[in-house]
Amino acid sequence: MRHYRKKLLICIAAMAVLTGCGRDPLLSAEDHAAEVPVHHVQMPAASQADDHMAEDPVRSSRRPADPNETSAASESDPVLDGVSGEDAKRPDYPADHQDILLEADILDDDAAQEWIPDAPAPAVTAKRTAHTTAANGSQTTAASQTTARMTTKTGTQTTARNTTKMAEKTTESRTTALTVVTEPVLPPAAPATPEERLAAMTLEEKAAQMMMSSASDAQAAKSAASRNVGAICLFAGAFRGKSAAQVQQMTEELQSKSKTPILLCVDEEGGTVNRVSLNPQLRPVPFRTGRALFDEGGWDLVAADTQEKAELLLNLGIQVNLAPVCDVPLSSTNYISNRTFSLDPNETSDYISLVVSEMKHAGLGSVLKHFPGYGGSIDTHQYMAYDERDYSAFTDGDFLPFTAGIEAGADAVMVSHNIVQCMDPDYPASLSPEVHRILRDDLGFSGVIMTDDLGMNAITLFTGGRNPAVAAVMAGNDIVTYANDSGSAAAICEAVRSGAIPEEQINESVLRILYWKQSLGMID
């Protein structure tokens, strides 16, 4: 009797040892494989995965996978077949199985908040708690199942099937809870810099940026905007009869038609040359000349007028005033005289310096005109003009207001069409490489250079009616101002492809234009 009692005690002790090791002595190896299905994914040999495993109580509580076992999950899930090592890394894994990857590499709280910045910490903790509870519940069920199997084999098989279903439901709940964590919230794209915008442009788009189209009415302006031109000069007809709200609607519509923001420009010099203030709905009376303002109220009135003008134009959606006029006439009878401030280049320089400074402070683009200076030249809108003065007349007189404007921060310089013998006896200033060299090198101007309108008779007569756009770019202009700009951009592209114009020159011009737009707040 003692012999049998001793054997019974040995058997009981053996079962206690096996039960403590997580093995059921009444189950075969096949039964153990079906006990609680767990997805086994071999981890990459990254130290980060080991760190997560050490910190996460869910994974540290799981028993290691037996390489000789074949789990029910691996037999029924084709996605897991053959996935191990490098093949199990997140970037190469199917998106609809991200929950399986999280079984092997659960994100800690800090990582989850980094992927979903707006997710509150309690929500992440709740998901982790649900995951942990589900796993612990599986282990508790397995322990209860072992006790039942010690009573009856039939009960063991029934409990095993129920446990398998419960484990599958637990896996589904984990999938639902954790899939949300795998969806990253990407930050908004960084604003494009002028260099990035340039790099993204085709040659045709670059050439279009160098075009300033002249528009006598709103319809012509819309047509130009649809061609993605870099700038549009609006004449009085575009504003006639419109209220301020209607002008704002027009300028907004023009911008919406273009891929790149457009420099919307006007000639609002004051006096005989106005576009906007000719409309009494926009201003009761037209703006006056700088000279008239100064004679009435000195520099204070000049400054106040410039500020008012800038505020009006910017409010209407206009970014650039093609002003101030830097020309110094030789006498009061000269063509340009009634548009200028003074016959004295030093007084004119003071005026230009003040006006440019006020425009810059207000955020309105400025353009100095008409380099190298009209002097006593006749009207180039009608005829070709010739200036036969010595070069010293320019360095001691005409250049001074331009230098003052450049030092005050002028954005651009407009070049005239007169032929200045001492600089270039063969070409109009707007088409002369030497005149542009003087502006860049001798006066130190690094901003945008533009032509006066190439549709003026002086150029038409000089070119015999041929398109002067390519010659203007070859001379060094960044912006080609042309009322009849159709075909000009295409001609420039063809000149680049033929090698007549280096594309690097085009890139430099477009980059100057884009930086100008950036300085005016038009692009980031």
Side-chain angles (χ1 to χ4, degrees):
M1 188 71 177
R2 281 184 297 176
H3 176 72
Y4 288 108
R5 184 180 298 171
K6 184 176 181 179
K7 285 186 176 181
L8 179 60
L9 291 173
I10 292 172
C11 290
I12 292 172
M15 285 189 293
V17 171
L18 290 172
T19 304
C21 296
R23 298 282 293 182
D24 189 341
L26 298 182
L27 292 182
S28 64
E30 290 75 14
D31 291 331
H32 274 290
E35 184 178 351
V36 179
V38 179
H39 296 298
H40 301 298
V41 179
Q42 183 175 345
M43 289 293 296
S47 60
Q48 183 179 3
D50 297 337
D51 293 340
H52 284 305
M53 181 69 79
E55 296 170 2
D56 195 291
V58 179
R59 293 206 310 273
S60 60
S61 66
R62 291 203 183 100
R63 62 183 175 85
D66 187 342
N68 295 322
E69 290 185 9
T70 304
S71 69
S74 65
E75 292 176 353
S76 61
D77 191 349
V79 176
L80 291 176
D81 293 342
V83 178
S84 62
E86 293 298 323
D87 294 333
K89 291 183 179 179
R90 179 172 284 105
D92 298 328
Y93 217 69
D96 56 342
H97 290 279
Q98 290 293 319
D99 54 296
I100 300 176
L101 291 179
L102 285 175
E103 289 268 317
D105 189 15
I106 298 175
L107 298 174
D108 60 22
D109 291 350
D110 292 338
Q113 292 177 16
E114 181 180 354
W115 279 73
I116 308 177
D118 297 331
V124 178
T125 305
K127 292 174 184 175
R128 176 180 288 279
T129 302
H131 186 106
T132 305
T133 303
N136 290 339
S138 299
Q139 294 172 352
T140 302
T141 303
S144 301
Q145 177 188 348
T146 301
T147 304
R149 289 195 185 95
M150 292 176 68
T151 304
T152 172
K153 187 174 182 179
T154 303
T156 298
Q157 293 171 344
T158 302
T159 305
R161 286 193 295 271
N162 292 338
T163 304
T164 300
K165 293 178 180 180
M166 184 180 297
E168 290 173 350
K169 291 180 179 180
T170 302
T171 300
E172 292 174 358
S173 68
R174 284 199 299 264
T175 300
T176 303
L178 292 176
T179 300
V180 178
V181 182
T182 66
E183 295 294 335
V185 177
L186 299 177
T193 64
E195 288 82 2
E196 291 170 337
R197 287 178 178 271
L198 175 68
M201 287 182 180
T202 64
L203 177 59
E204 287 73 16
E205 289 172 335
K206 295 175 188 177
Q209 281 299 295
M210 299 176 69
M211 295 292 107
M212 178 187 285
S213 180
S214 299
S216 58
D217 55 39
Q219 189 57 43
K222 292 177 184 179
S223 176
S226 65
R227 298 194 296 273
N228 199 36
V229 296
I232 300 176
C233 179
L234 298 169
F235 289 125
F239 303 98
R240 187 174 295 118
K242 291 184 175 66
S243 66
Q246 290 172 322
V247 173
Q248 290 168 348
Q249 183 179 4
M250 176 188 70
T251 56
E252 289 173 3
E253 183 180 357
L254 293 177
Q255 296 290 5
S256 70
K257 290 181 175 294
S258 179
K259 182 178 179 181
T260 304
I262 307 168
L263 291 165
L264 296 180
C265 315
V266 293
D267 292 289
E268 201 72 19
E269 299 173 7
T272 60
V273 179
N274 284 308
R275 311 300 186 211
V276 174
S277 61
L278 294 178
N279 180 354
Q281 296 187 65
L282 303 178
R283 192 174 191 268
V285 295
F287 286 107
R288 294 187 291 167
T289 65
R291 183 79 245 179
L293 294 167
F294 178 80
D295 290 343
E296 178 182 328
W299 295 122
D300 289 343
L301 188 57
V302 172
D305 179 82
T306 304
Q307 293 163 8
E308 180 196 347
K309 190 182 297 184
E311 182 179 358
L312 173 61
L313 297 183
L314 291 170
N315 184 58
L316 295 175
I318 297 164
Q319 296 81 31
V320 178
N321 187 11
L322 301 174
V325 175
C326 297
D327 300 292
V328 180
L330 302 182
S331 74
S332 59
T333 61
N334 293 150
Y335 155 73
I336 200 69
S337 179
N338 61 358
R339 296 169 61 184
T340 64
F341 183 78
S342 173
L343 301 179
D344 184 339
N346 293 303
E347 288 184 359
T348 303
S349 297
D350 292 340
Y351 169 74
I352 297 300
S353 181
L354 174 62
V355 171
V356 170
S357 297
E358 292 294 341
M359 292 175 70
K360 193 169 190 66
H361 180 74
L364 181 67
S366 59
V367 179
L368 308 178
K369 60 186 187 184
H370 308 82
F371 190 80
Y374 252 99
S377 298
I378 59 177
D379 183 7
T380 53
H381 291 82
Q382 304 296 328
Y383 316 100
M384 173 55 71
Y386 296 87
D387 193 325
E388 299 180 352
R389 289 180 294 164
D390 293 338
Y391 191 71
S392 60
F394 291 91
T395 57
D396 297 341
D398 297 71
F399 287 173
L400 298 182
F402 289 98
T403 300
I406 292 170
E407 292 175 351
D411 300 300
V413 173
M414 179 183 291
V415 183
S416 66
H417 300 318
N418 52 336
I419 294 178
V420 182
Q421 300 279 359
C422 64
M423 300 179 196
D424 189 338
D426 299 321
Y427 290 94
S430 57
L431 305 183
S432 169
E434 177 59 16
V435 170
H436 289 76
R437 185 202 64 76
I438 292 170
L439 179 56
R440 291 286 189 209
D441 297 346
D442 295 355
L443 274 69
F445 182 64
S446 59
V448 171
I449 300 178
M450 65 177 66
T451 70
D452 204 344
D453 197 322
L454 294 177
M456 293 163 61
N457 276 353
I459 297 300
T460 302
L461 293 171
F462 182 82
T463 63
R466 292 172 295 175
N467 192 320
V470 171
V473 173
M474 293 178 70
N477 291 286
D478 301 309
I479 290 180
V480 176
T481 307
Y482 201 7
N484 183 24
D485 69 303
S486 178
S488 296
I492 292 171
C493 291
E494 184 59 32
V496 172
R497 295 189 182 99
S498 68
I501 300 176
E503 187 167 2
E504 182 58 31
Q505 179 185 339
I506 301 296
N507 292 340
E508 292 174 357
S509 291
V510 175
L511 200 56
R512 289 190 193 100
I513 295 167
L514 292 175
Y515 268 111
W516 187 11
K517 293 180 179 182
Q518 183 186 60
S519 72
L520 297 175
M522 301 175 66
I523 62 176
D524 296 314

